[in-house]
Structures are given as structure tokens and as C-alpha cells.
Amino acid sequence: MRIRPRKGTLLLVFFAALFFSVSFLCQTALAQSLAKARKGPPPPPPPPAADQELVIPYWTTETGWSSELQLRNNVVGQDLTVTPALRLPDGTETPLTPVTIKPQEVKSVDVAAAISAAGAPQLVATYGSAVLRYHSPSLKALYASVMIRAMGHAIAFHVDGNAEYEPESVGSREGIWWLPRHNQRLPCPDQPR
């Protein structure tokens, strides 16, 4: 024997389902509109692009040494063109060929090869500092360092580039160094003195 539901019961179930569906949709729409209303103001526009400079304090092409600039574009979605210039100890500056770096890309520049391409024989077998110039809204758009290696030896130095700071008007820098004489014997840490 089958029990048939009354028409009134079916109608009641239908209206209950309709009521709960409509109230759910209204709550969802209300939650979305509140979430949109809670958002703060839009972010300010990025600052305008300006000329930027990073300084690498040391590079060398002296005999037995090689230097390699490593440049990374930190900007998302925009190429960065960097113009390196090498400075000698006397302050003479020689620009090298500009390097275009894709977004999030790292490019290496062999300093000796760049000197040769620039036709700057005065920079061969010497040393100095470097300045990297580029146009960007932020100084941090470029990460730069130099790797200095002793050819044929397991010696390498990593030197980061930094912004050029204004010179200090007061103060001093001090250091201590020691150079043993050729006839001086160094104490062994395992032997008593």
C-alpha cells in the first residue's frame, strides 16, 4: 500500500525550499556587497620613474683575476636597461655597452669582455669601482653584485652593489693590520708558547 502525500504537504515543502533558497541567495549577495564595502581605497599610483644609480665598490682585470657583474631585474612586467660605467682609482669614468634585462631575469657581464667591446684599453689590467645607471621608479628595481675570481684558484669574492651615500663631513675610520716579516715564524695553535 502506497501512501500519497497530500497536495498541501507538497505545497508546503515547495514553499519552504523556495524560502530557504531565496534567503540563502540574499545572504550571499549581502556578504559579497559587505566584502566590497570593507575594501579600503585603491592603492596610490606608483611613483614616477627617475634616474637611479647603484655603485659596485670594486672590480679588477689585473693579471690572474676576473670580474663578472651580475644584474637582476626585480621589476615585474617591465624590461630594465642598465648602463654600467667603470671608474678608475683617479675617478676617470668609462661607460660600457647598455644591458637590457627582462623582468625577473639575471644577466652576467664579463668585465674584461665588456672592456674589449667598449674599446677601452686603458681599463685592461687595472681595477676600480663601477656605477650602474638605470631609469626606474625604485632604486630596488635592480639587484647588482660583482664576482671577483682568482683564475686557476678556488678564491672568489662576492661584492654587492649599494646606493651611493653622501660623504660624511666628520668622523674617521681606523683599522689594524698585521704583516709578518719573512723571517718571523708564526706560532702554531697546538704548541705551547
Side-chain angles (χ1 to χ4, degrees), residues 3 7 9 22 24 38 42 44 56 63 65 67 81 96-97 117 141 147-149 153 155 159 180 192-193:
I3 301 175
K7 286 185 181 182
T9 307
V22 168
F24 175 74
R38 283 188 204 143
I56 303 282
T63 305
W65 294 92
S67 297
T81 301
L96 301 178
T97 305
M147 285 298 296
I148 303 165
R149 295 181 180 91
H153 301 283
I155 299 172
V159 181
R193 295 181 187 209

Side-chain angles (χ1 to χ4, degrees), residues 23-174:
S23 66
F24 175 74
L25 290 173
C26 288
Q27 286 177 354
T28 305
L30 180 63
Q32 288 176 352
S33 66
L34 286 175
K36 286 180 184 176
R38 283 188 204 143
K39 287 184 181 177
D51 291 334
Q52 309 285 349
E53 284 188 358
L54 279 182
V55 175
I56 303 282
Y58 184 74
W59 61 268
T60 184
T61 55
E62 294 174 298
T63 305
W65 294 92
S66 69
S67 297
E68 175 187 55
L69 290 173
Q70 296 176 347
L71 311 173
R72 182 178 196 272
N73 179 358
N74 292 325
V75 179
V76 177
Q78 183 180 349
D79 290 358
L80 189 65
T81 301
V82 179
T83 304
L86 300 180
R87 293 176 176 164
L88 291 174
D90 67 2
T92 306
E93 190 172 292
T94 305
L96 301 178
T97 305
V99 179
T100 300
I101 311 163
K102 298 282 183 201
Q104 305 297 307
E105 179 184 33
V106 176
K107 281 217 175 163
S108 295
V109 177
D110 181 274
V111 174
I115 289 170
S116 178
Q122 73 276 14
L123 299 175
V124 175
T126 190
Y127 64 93
S129 64
V131 62
L132 306 167
R133 294 184 175 101
Y134 52 101
H135 194 73
S136 173
S138 169
L139 181 66
K140 295 185 179 192
L142 176 68
Y143 168 78
S145 66
V146 66
M147 285 298 296
I148 303 165
R149 295 181 180 91
M151 293 185 277
H153 301 283
I155 299 172
F157 301 99
H158 172 99
V159 181
D160 286 331
N162 290 308
E164 192 166 21
Y165 298 108
E166 293 296 320
E168 296 179 15
S169 58
V170 296
S172 66
R173 295 177 194 242
E174 298 178 12

